[in-house]
Structures are given as structure tokens and as C-alpha cells.
Amino acid sequence: MNHHALVPLGLALLSGFLVPWTLVRARWAQQVPRLAVTVWAACGAVFAVASALLPAQLLLPGESSHRLSDMVLTLRVPSPGQLFALRGRELAALAVAAAVLAVPAGAFALGLLRARRARRQHAGVLRLIGRYDPELRAVVLDHARPAVYCLPGRSRRVVVSSGAVDTLTPAQLAAALAHERAHIAGRHHLLVAAAEAFGTVFRRLPLARHGSSAVPLLLEMAADDRALRRCTRDALATALYALAAGRAPRAAFAAGGPSAALRMRRILTPHSAGHPVLRGLATIGAAALAMAPLVVACCSFPA
């Protein structure tokens, strides 16, 4: 077996199994959700690249395999001339790696197209039955049940039901609107689409199985944290309580929903962000340190 395949194999095991298993049990993840989402996204990217490199390394001869390892470890991108000069097994390795990467990339693109189509259809309905309120900077929809949600992407807008306008206090309504605008500003729909695509392609993988449920919840918490810059904890928590039963269309983000109770408890239990950040960085550092022996071994034996 080509020993240079140990690095992508180690990275795949680390990002696909070990780090997700640790992250899903880590208490700091919900205290610093943006850092946790970054770790989930990094694990997905590393696993995809490692999955593409592993068969490529198995196909390549020793010298070419070592050159590929050097490029990966030094983050050097091959020039167009080097790519066009590939022949034989090197060309086959490139084709296999591209094919492996194309599967999750294609699922991600397809998911984005479907979600965009659903949002565009719903935006068309809102133009017919909704009315824009310049004071709220949102579309008001006549419906008795309190609900606040947003349509991200090109059709981005925040939607408020008349029931929410009648039920919520001005402070609560402002908090719910700030939460939805945080989703739009953070482009959270892209991360949700990536997590869903990854879960579709690698559904039995712990990274995909846990990440597809953890990432949307962490993004809701990240939006809560951003909203808290403009509102009080009481206003946001009580708004979530009032909107907990509200529903949103597919491909939209709702301020309430099934995670409202967990998020209310988190909002009303202040915590210091310093120690969770340190614990998160320690997790990342430990994962990187676990790869050091494989990297050293591959750099030590050129052939």
C-alpha cells in the first residue's frame, strides 16, 4: 500500500468520525455556535477533500504520490500547465478525485436550486396576498397564528403574520425581526444546504448524520446571539415562546419552531464566551496534533 495514502485516510477518519463524535457531545458548542459551525464546516470540507485524495494516492506511482502530498501539505495549487501535462495513471487519479468531489458538489448545487425554486414560488404568493410594512421593513401576512420567518437568498424578505403583530410587544417583535435579519445577513441558507447535501451523500457517516441536525440548530443560536446585540434577553426569549408554534414554508427560517424551548433556556442562562472558545480551540488543536505523526511520516519517506 502507498504510505502517502495514510494522510488522507487519517484525515477522513478524523473529520468523519472522531471530531464529530467529540463535537456532538461538547457543551461549548452551543455556547459559541459560530465556532462550532466553523468546525462542522471545516470537517465537511476536509472529509470531502480527503475522500477525493485517498483513491488518487492509491492510483499514483510513488514519486507522483509524494509530489501530491507535498502540494496538499503546503497548500500549493497545481498550475494549468501541470494539469494539462498529466498522462496515464496521473490523469486517471485526477479524474477519480474530480468524480468523488463532484458527487457532494452536485448534491449541494441541486439542493440550492430546489430551495431557490421553493422560495421564488413562495415570494410570488407573498406579492399577491401580503402587504409591505415600511415601518417593520417586512411583509405582513394576514394569519391569526403568530409567526415570523424569512426567505433568504435573492428573494430575501422577512415575513410577519398579523397574529404576531397583534400578539407581540414592540420589543418582542423587534427581537424576532432582528433574529430573522441575522439569518439573511449570515447567509445561513448556504450552510444548511451544504449540511443537507452532505447528509444525503454520506448519510451513514457520523459527520453527516450528526451534522445535518446540529448545524441548523447552531445557526438558530448564532442568529439569536446576533439579535441580542439589538435587544434584551427577555424580549427575545418571550418572543420565542410566543412564536414556538409558528410554522414556516420550506427553505425558510422561522423565529420559533421546535428548537424554541432549548434556545429560550440558553438565552435566559447567560454564560461567558471565553472558556467555551478556549475549549473549542483545544478540540481543534488536539485533532490537528493527532495528524502530526502521519504528516511527519509521509514527509520523511519520499518513495
Side-chain angles (χ1 to χ4, degrees):
M1 177 180 175
N2 187 339
H3 73 276
H4 291 114
L6 291 175
V7 170
L9 178 60
L11 286 172
L13 294 174
L14 200 67
S15 60
F17 294 88
L18 181 59
V19 175
W21 182 84
T22 304
L23 190 56
V24 79
R25 289 164 175 77
R27 292 183 179 180
W28 62 263
Q30 293 188 0
Q31 296 176 13
V32 278
R34 292 177 62 186
L35 177 61
V37 169
T38 301
V39 176
W40 280 111
C43 284
V46 168
F47 183 85
V49 172
S51 298
L53 288 175
L54 181 58
Q57 289 285 31
L58 293 175
L59 286 172
L60 288 172
E63 184 179 348
S64 300
S65 177
H66 187 70
R67 283 204 306 271
L68 177 60
S69 293
D70 288 343
M71 285 184 179
V72 172
L73 295 175
T74 58
L75 300 179
R76 282 190 291 115
V77 179
S79 65
Q82 289 175 313
L83 293 177
F84 284 121
L86 296 179
R87 294 291 184 273
R89 290 169 65 180
E90 293 181 344
L91 188 60
L94 176 63
V96 169
V100 172
L101 284 176
V103 176
F108 175 62
L110 185 60
L112 283 181
L113 288 174
R114 287 175 176 169
R116 181 182 174 187
R117 189 181 304 118
R119 287 193 296 265
R120 190 166 58 238
Q121 290 174 351
H122 189 72
V125 173
L126 290 176
R127 282 192 291 269
L128 294 175
I129 63 175
R131 65 182 187 278
Y132 182 76
D133 188 320
E135 185 176 346
L136 297 176
R137 293 187 293 127
V139 176
V140 178
L141 195 63
D142 288 328
H143 197 282
R145 176 176 290 180
V148 180
Y149 63 90
C150 70
L151 294 178
R154 291 188 178 182
S155 303
R156 58 181 176 271
R157 65 200 68 194
V158 178
V159 183
V160 184
S161 71
S162 57
V165 175
D166 296 336
T167 303
L168 301 179
T169 66
Q172 292 169 342
L173 186 55
L177 293 174
H179 172 93
E180 295 308 319
R181 292 189 178 109
H183 281 308
I184 293 175
R187 298 180 180 272
H188 291 171
H189 64 291
L190 298 178
L191 292 168
V192 170
E196 290 177 348
F198 208 86
T200 300
V201 175
F202 304 103
R203 61 172 55 92
R204 295 187 179 277
L205 187 73
L207 171 61
R209 190 170 65 251
H210 296 308
S212 58
S213 58
V215 168
L217 175 60
L218 290 169
L219 290 174
E220 291 293 343
M221 293 177 175
D224 288 339
D225 289 347
R226 185 159 180 166
L228 287 173
R229 300 176 188 174
R230 299 177 177 272
C231 66
T232 65
R233 292 181 179 274
D234 288 343
L236 182 56
T238 52
L240 292 179
Y241 177 79
L243 298 169
R247 294 181 178 273
R250 183 180 176 273
F253 290 97
S259 66
L262 175 62
R263 289 158 50 210
M264 282 172 54
R265 186 164 62 249
R266 174 181 178 270
I267 291 167
L268 295 174
T269 309
H271 56 269
S272 172
H275 294 305
V277 170
L278 292 177
R279 287 196 292 270
L281 293 176
T283 301
I284 300 169
L289 190 62
M291 282 300 300
L294 291 178
V295 173
V296 171
C298 286
C299 292
S300 301
F301 302 101

Coordinates of all heavy atoms in Angstrom, one line a residue, residues 155-187:
S155 N -34.5 36.2 -3.2 CA -35.8 36.6 -2.9 C -35.9 37.0 -1.4 O -37.0 36.9 -0.8 CB -36.8 35.5 -3.2 OG -36.7 35.1 -4.5
R156 N -34.9 37.5 -0.8 CA -34.8 37.7 0.6 C -35.9 38.7 1.1 O -36.0 39.8 0.5 CB -33.4 38.1 1.1 CG -32.8 39.3 0.5 CD -31.4 39.6 1.0 NE -30.8 40.7 0.4 CZ -30.1 40.6 -0.7 NH1 -29.9 39.4 -1.3 NH2 -29.5 41.7 -1.3
R157 N -36.6 38.4 2.1 CA -37.5 39.3 2.8 C -37.9 38.6 4.1 O -37.8 37.4 4.3 CB -38.7 39.5 1.9 CG -39.6 38.3 1.6 CD -40.4 38.5 0.4 NE -39.6 38.6 -0.8 CZ -40.1 39.0 -2.0 NH1 -41.3 39.5 -2.1 NH2 -39.3 39.1 -3.0
V158 N -38.3 39.4 5.0 CA -38.8 39.0 6.3 C -40.3 39.0 6.3 O -40.9 40.0 5.8 CB -38.3 39.8 7.5 CG1 -38.8 39.4 8.8 CG2 -36.8 39.8 7.5
V159 N -41.0 38.0 6.8 CA -42.4 37.9 6.8 C -43.0 37.8 8.2 O -42.4 37.1 9.0 CB -42.9 36.7 6.0 CG1 -44.4 36.6 5.9 CG2 -42.3 36.7 4.6
V160 N -44.0 38.6 8.5 CA -44.6 38.6 9.8 C -46.1 38.4 9.6 O -46.8 39.0 8.7 CB -44.4 40.0 10.5 CG1 -45.0 40.0 11.9 CG2 -42.9 40.3 10.5
S161 N -46.7 37.5 10.4 CA -48.1 37.3 10.3 C -48.8 38.4 11.1 O -48.2 39.0 12.1 CB -48.5 35.9 10.9 OG -48.3 35.9 12.3
S162 N -50.1 38.7 10.8 CA -50.8 39.7 11.5 C -51.0 39.2 13.0 O -51.1 40.1 13.9 CB -52.2 39.9 10.8 OG -52.9 38.7 10.7
G163 N -51.1 37.9 13.2 CA -51.2 37.4 14.5 C -50.0 37.8 15.4 O -50.1 38.1 16.6
A164 N -48.8 37.8 14.8 CA -47.6 38.1 15.5 C -47.6 39.6 15.8 O -47.2 40.1 16.9 CB -46.3 37.8 14.7
V165 N -48.1 40.4 14.9 CA -48.1 41.9 15.1 C -49.1 42.2 16.2 O -48.8 43.1 17.1 CB -48.6 42.6 13.8 CG1 -48.7 44.1 14.1 CG2 -47.5 42.4 12.7
D166 N -50.2 41.5 16.3 CA -51.2 41.7 17.4 C -50.8 41.2 18.7 O -51.1 41.7 19.8 CB -52.5 41.1 17.0 CG -53.1 41.8 15.7 OD1 -52.8 42.9 15.5 OD2 -53.9 41.1 15.0
T167 N -50.0 40.1 18.7 CA -49.7 39.3 20.0 C -48.4 39.9 20.6 O -48.3 40.0 21.8 CB -49.5 37.8 19.7 OG1 -50.7 37.3 19.1 CG2 -49.2 37.1 21.0
L168 N -47.4 40.1 19.8 CA -46.1 40.5 20.4 C -46.0 42.0 20.8 O -46.7 42.8 20.1 CB -44.9 40.2 19.4 CG -44.8 38.8 18.9 CD1 -43.6 38.7 17.9 CD2 -44.5 37.8 20.1
T169 N -45.3 42.3 21.8 CA -45.0 43.7 22.1 C -44.0 44.3 21.1 O -43.3 43.5 20.4 CB -44.4 43.8 23.5 OG1 -43.1 43.2 23.5 CG2 -45.3 43.1 24.6
P170 N -43.9 45.6 21.0 CA -42.9 46.1 20.1 C -41.5 45.6 20.3 O -40.7 45.4 19.3 CB -43.0 47.7 20.4 CG -44.4 47.9 20.8 CD -44.7 46.6 21.6
A171 N -41.1 45.4 21.6 CA -39.7 44.9 21.8 C -39.6 43.5 21.4 O -38.5 43.1 20.8 CB -39.4 45.0 23.3
Q172 N -40.6 42.7 21.6 CA -40.6 41.3 21.2 C -40.5 41.2 19.7 O -39.8 40.4 19.1 CB -41.8 40.5 21.8 CG -41.7 40.3 23.3 CD -43.1 39.8 23.8 OE1 -44.1 39.9 23.1 NE2 -43.0 39.3 25.0
L173 N -41.4 42.0 19.0 CA -41.4 41.9 17.5 C -40.1 42.4 17.0 O -39.6 41.8 16.0 CB -42.5 42.8 17.0 CG -42.8 42.8 15.5 CD1 -43.1 41.4 15.1 CD2 -44.0 43.7 15.2
A174 N -39.5 43.4 17.5 CA -38.1 43.9 17.1 C -37.1 42.8 17.3 O -36.2 42.6 16.4 CB -37.7 45.1 17.8
A175 N -37.2 42.0 18.4 CA -36.2 40.9 18.6 C -36.4 39.8 17.6 O -35.4 39.3 17.1 CB -36.4 40.4 20.0
A176 N -37.6 39.5 17.3 CA -37.9 38.4 16.3 C -37.4 38.9 14.9 O -36.8 38.1 14.2 CB -39.3 38.1 16.3
L177 N -37.6 40.1 14.6 CA -37.2 40.6 13.3 C -35.6 40.7 13.2 O -35.1 40.3 12.1 CB -37.7 42.0 13.0 CG -39.3 42.1 12.8 CD1 -39.7 43.6 12.8 CD2 -39.7 41.4 11.6
A178 N -35.0 41.0 14.3 CA -33.5 41.0 14.3 C -33.0 39.6 14.1 O -31.9 39.4 13.5 CB -33.0 41.6 15.6
H179 N -33.6 38.6 14.7 CA -33.2 37.3 14.6 C -33.3 36.8 13.1 O -32.3 36.2 12.6 CB -34.1 36.4 15.4 CG -33.9 34.9 15.2 ND1 -33.0 34.1 15.9 CD2 -34.5 34.0 14.3 CE1 -33.0 32.9 15.5 NE2 -33.9 32.8 14.5
E180 N -34.4 37.2 12.4 CA -34.5 36.8 11.0 C -33.5 37.5 10.1 O -33.0 36.9 9.2 CB -36.0 37.0 10.5 CG -37.0 36.2 11.3 CD -36.7 34.7 11.2 OE1 -36.2 34.2 10.2 OE2 -36.9 34.1 12.3
R181 N -33.3 38.8 10.4 CA -32.3 39.5 9.6 C -30.9 39.0 9.8 O -30.1 39.1 8.9 CB -32.4 41.0 9.9 CG -33.7 41.6 9.4 CD -33.8 43.1 9.5 NE -35.1 43.6 9.0 CZ -36.0 44.1 9.8 NH1 -35.9 44.2 11.1 NH2 -37.2 44.5 9.3
A182 N -30.7 38.4 11.0 CA -29.3 37.8 11.2 C -29.2 36.6 10.3 O -28.0 36.3 9.8 CB -29.2 37.4 12.7
H183 N -30.2 35.8 10.1 CA -30.1 34.7 9.1 C -29.8 35.2 7.7 O -29.0 34.6 7.0 CB -31.5 33.9 9.1 CG -31.7 33.0 10.2 ND1 -30.8 32.0 10.6 CD2 -32.7 32.8 11.1 CE1 -31.2 31.3 11.6 NE2 -32.4 31.8 11.9
I184 N -30.5 36.2 7.3 CA -30.2 36.7 6.0 C -28.8 37.3 5.8 O -28.1 37.0 4.9 CB -31.3 37.8 5.6 CG1 -32.7 37.2 5.5 CG2 -30.9 38.5 4.3 CD1 -33.8 38.2 5.3
A185 N -28.4 38.1 6.8 CA -27.0 38.7 6.7 C -25.9 37.6 6.8 O -24.9 37.8 6.1 CB -26.9 39.7 7.9
G186 N -26.2 36.5 7.5 CA -25.2 35.5 7.7 C -25.2 34.5 6.6 O -24.3 33.6 6.5
R187 N -26.1 34.6 5.6 CA -26.3 33.6 4.5 C -26.3 32.2 5.0 O -25.7 31.3 4.5 CB -25.1 33.8 3.5 CG -25.1 35.1 2.8 CD -24.0 35.2 1.8 NE -23.9 36.5 1.2 CZ -24.6 36.9 0.1 NH1 -25.4 36.0 -0.5 NH2 -24.5 38.1 -0.4

